[in-house]
Amino acid sequence: MKSKFPGYIDNYLENNILNSKKVLVSFDTNILLNLYRYEKSISADIISQIRSLKRNKFFDIWLPHQVALEFNLQRKATFKKQERAIHAIEDEFKSFKKTIEGLSKIGGKNSEVFPLKKELGVHFDTIGNIIKDYLPKTRSQDSSDPVINNVYDIFNGVVGDSYSQEDMANIEREGEFRFSNNIPPGYDDEGKEIIYSYSGVKINAKYGDYILWKQLIDKASQEQLTVVLVTGDVKSDWQSKEYSRVRPDLITEFKLKTGQDFYALTLPDFQRFFDSKLKRKLSDKTTNEMIELTAKDNSGWLNEILSAFEHFDNPLTLKEIYKFIASHSDRDLPPSWEVIIRRTVYNHCSDVSAYLGKKDLFEKISSGYYRLR
C-alpha cells in the first residue's frame, strides 16, 4: 500500500529525502527576487550559500526555465520598487524637516518649537547623508546590479529548456482541468490575467506554477534524482496545513510519474534539515531575517482587503483591490503579493471552490466583482 500512497507516509522527509544519495536542488522565483528585498549583506550571504551548493558533491543545482523566465521578467520591477521606497523615505524626511523649520519661525526664538528645531537640526545633515548613502544611483543598470550578475553566473549552464507552443497548449488544457477541480499545484494563481511570451511562444501567467511543476517532473525523470524545491511561498496549492509540509498528493504524483522523491522547503528549513551535508551555513542574522520576511509576507492581508471595501463602499474587482493596496499599503510588497490577495479573498468567499469554510466575508456577485457580505 505504501507504494501507492508514498506522499501520505509520516516522516517522509527524514526517511526518504534525507537518505537520498544525491539531491537536485531547484529554486522558486521568489527566492531569487527576494534577493533585492534584503539588505546587501544578507543577499550576499544567501548568494554565497547557493553558490556553495555547486561545489558540494551531494547536491546538483538546477533552475527550471519557467523560474529563470519569471525572474528576468520581474527583477527590474522588484528592485525599482525598492528604489521608490527609499526615495519615499527621502521625501518624507524633507517634508518633516520643512515642517519643523516652518513651525519654528512662528514666534521666532521665543517659539516653543524653536529649541526643538535647534536640537533636531544638528542631526538633520547626518540623517540626510545616511539616506543618500542608501539611494540607488545607477542600480537600474545591469553592470552595477550585484544580484543579476551573481544569479547569471551561478546558474550558467544549469537552466532548463523551454516548451514549444504545442507543449504549452497541452499544458494549458491540463491546467484548466486541474484548476477547475482544485488539483495542485497552481490553482491559487487562477485569477492571474497576464500573457507574456518567450521566443515566440505564448505563455499564460496563471499556469506558471503548473509549468514549473511539469519541468521539475521532466528533470527528475531524466536525471533520476530526488528533487528539493527551495521556495519562500507557503501557498495552499503547495503546502498542506494538515501535514505541516508539502502536500501529500504532490509528493505522490511526483513519485508515481518519475519514480523519484520530491519535497519543498524554505531556505532556512533546507539548512536545518541538510545541516550535516552543507559545507557553508547561513548566518543567524540571515536566517532570522528570512523567517521574519516570510511571516510578514503571509500575514495581515485580510485587514488591508477589508480597508479597500470600506474605502469605496461598493463592489470591487480583484484588480481594483490590487490597485488600492498598491497605493495605500505601508508594507514592502512581496513578488507574489497579488497571489496572496487573491487567495485571501477566495479563502473567505463561499462562492468559490477555494473557500476554507470559516469566515465567509465576501460575496462573488458577477463578472469578477466581489462585495462584503
Side-chain angles (χ1 to χ4, degrees), residues 135-161:
L135 286 173
K137 298 177 178 61
T138 58
R139 196 174 185 183
S140 59
Q141 301 175 13
D142 288 349
S143 60
S144 62
D145 182 347
V147 171
I148 190 61
N149 291 334
N150 277 290
V151 169
Y152 282 173
D153 180 54
I154 290 170
F155 294 104
N156 184 39
V158 290
V159 175
D161 295 328

Side-chain angles (χ1 to χ4, degrees), residues 15 70 72 76 91-92 113 134 178 252 310 330 371:
N15 294 335
E70 290 177 355
N72 278 284
K76 283 190 178 292
D91 291 341
E92 288 290 335
V113 180
Y134 277 86
R178 292 173 72 111
T252 298
E310 291 166 1
D330 293 329
R371 68 184 176 194

Side-chain angles (χ1 to χ4, degrees), residues 15-55:
N15 294 335
N16 294 69
I17 305 297
L18 299 183
N19 286 327
S20 301
K21 293 182 179 179
K22 194 176 186 70
V23 172
L24 181 72
V25 184
S26 186
F27 298 86
D28 202 357
T29 311
N30 52 72
I31 291 292
L32 303 183
L33 290 176
N34 280 345
L35 293 171
Y36 290 105
R37 301 175 66 207
Y38 300 117
E39 63 177 80
K40 291 180 181 179
S41 63
I42 290 177
S43 292
D45 192 20
I46 295 170
I47 287 169
S48 295
Q49 171 75 311
I50 296 173
R51 191 183 294 278
S52 73
L53 297 179
K54 293 187 73 173
R55 302 188 295 269

Side-chain angles (χ1 to χ4, degrees), residues 1 63 71 89 108 143 151 162 168 186 270 282 300 350 362:
M1 186 173 178
L63 203 63
F71 170 72
I89 292 172
S143 60
V151 169
S162 60
M168 204 61 71
F270 177 84
L282 295 171
S350 60
F362 308 111

Side-chain angles (χ1 to χ4, degrees), residues 1 8 21 28 66 71 77 120 131 134 136 141 150 157 175 197 199 232 239 248 258 261 285 312:
M1 186 173 178
Y8 297 86
K21 293 182 179 179
D28 202 357
Q66 183 63 22
F71 170 72
L120 290 174
I131 294 174
Y134 277 86
Q141 301 175 13
N150 277 290
S197 66
S199 189
Q239 299 289 329
T258 69
D261 295 309
K285 178 183 177 182
F312 291 104

Side-chain angles (χ1 to χ4, degrees), residues 148-194:
I148 190 61
N149 291 334
N150 277 290
V151 169
Y152 282 173
D153 180 54
I154 290 170
F155 294 104
N156 184 39
V158 290
V159 175
D161 295 328
S162 60
Y163 286 134
S164 67
Q165 191 65 72
E166 182 180 358
D167 291 333
M168 204 61 71
N170 290 331
I171 287 172
E172 288 192 9
R173 282 193 292 270
E174 293 170 8
E176 185 175 353
F177 171 79
R178 292 173 72 111
F179 288 9
S180 64
N181 291 282
N182 276 0
I183 301 174
Y187 58 72
D188 266 355
D189 294 336
E190 188 174 8
K192 281 186 177 179
E193 299 178 354
I194 301 172

Side-chain angles (χ1 to χ4, degrees), residues 227-243:
V227 173
V228 171
L229 176 66
V230 178
T231 179
D233 274 344
V234 290
K235 296 189 296 185
S236 61
D237 57 346
W238 284 95
Q239 299 289 329
S240 166
K241 287 187 177 181
E242 183 181 1
Y243 283 78

